[in-house]
Amino acid sequence: MKLYTFDAAPNARRVTLFMQYKGIEIETTQIAMMELEQLGDDYKKINPECTVPALVLDDGTVLTEVVGICAYLEALYPDKPLMGSSALEKALVISWDHKLFVGIMAATGGILRNTSKGFVNRGLPGPIDVPQIPELAERGRLQIPQILAKLNEHLSSNQWLAGDNFSLADIDLLASIDFMAWVKQSVPDECVHLKSWHERAAAIFA
Ligand SMILES: N[C@@H](CCC(=O)N[C@@H](CS)C(=O)NCC(=O)O)C(=O)O
């Protein structure tokens, strides 16, 4: 099994934190995204989607989605579960993972990719040129405060996103909030429950 990643990339960080929490060590190669190595022919042969992270299994299967990589690792390393124990917890973790990917990760990525000079013609990750559409950045700026307010309300009566136990959902949110800073978005001061959750979650990896 081999992991291709780039430590600074927000989606890659979700897997890094997942592995760190569980104490998993896997042979890892860094892909130099600043030099666009992910778009080069060598990496394209490994992951034709040209994204990180990618986990290549011993039988040659390539997992390219964070949630799939984490589900696979959770099955191999069940100690310190991060994807829920009960049926309900499992469902809640996956639901939050999806909600956060769309509502913060993709929204933040949309702001970055549709406004930054470094992403001209790279409006979406992957091998196909996609022009920048500045309105999508505007949409992202509208989306993010809405989900932050909902998260704040949810965390007013829950210690962790999926209930009593720290999970992948919390890792997703941690990586998402840190990614927001790349586009000058932050948790508003009035989101006191979200802010104290952030302190609790960050302390786990301190
Ligand atoms: N489908 C992946 C998304 C992976 C992704 O978008 N990764 C970004 C880094 S955070 C990437 O590889 N971008 C390539 C690029 O910008 O060219 C997932 O489920 O997490």
Side-chain angles (χ1 to χ4, degrees), residues 9-12 14 33 38-39 50-53 64-67 101 113 119 122 125-126:
N11 283 300
R14 292 160 64 201
M33 289 187 72
Q38 76 277 18
L39 299 173
C50 301
T51 54
V52 292
T64 61
E65 306 307 306
V66 170
V67 70
F101 186 81
R113 303 190 79 98
F119 286 94
R122 294 173 55 221

Side-chain angles (χ1 to χ4, degrees), residues 98-111:
H98 181 70
K99 207 182 278 239
L100 292 169
F101 186 81
V102 174
I104 305 186
M105 270 290 171
T108 304
I111 299 173

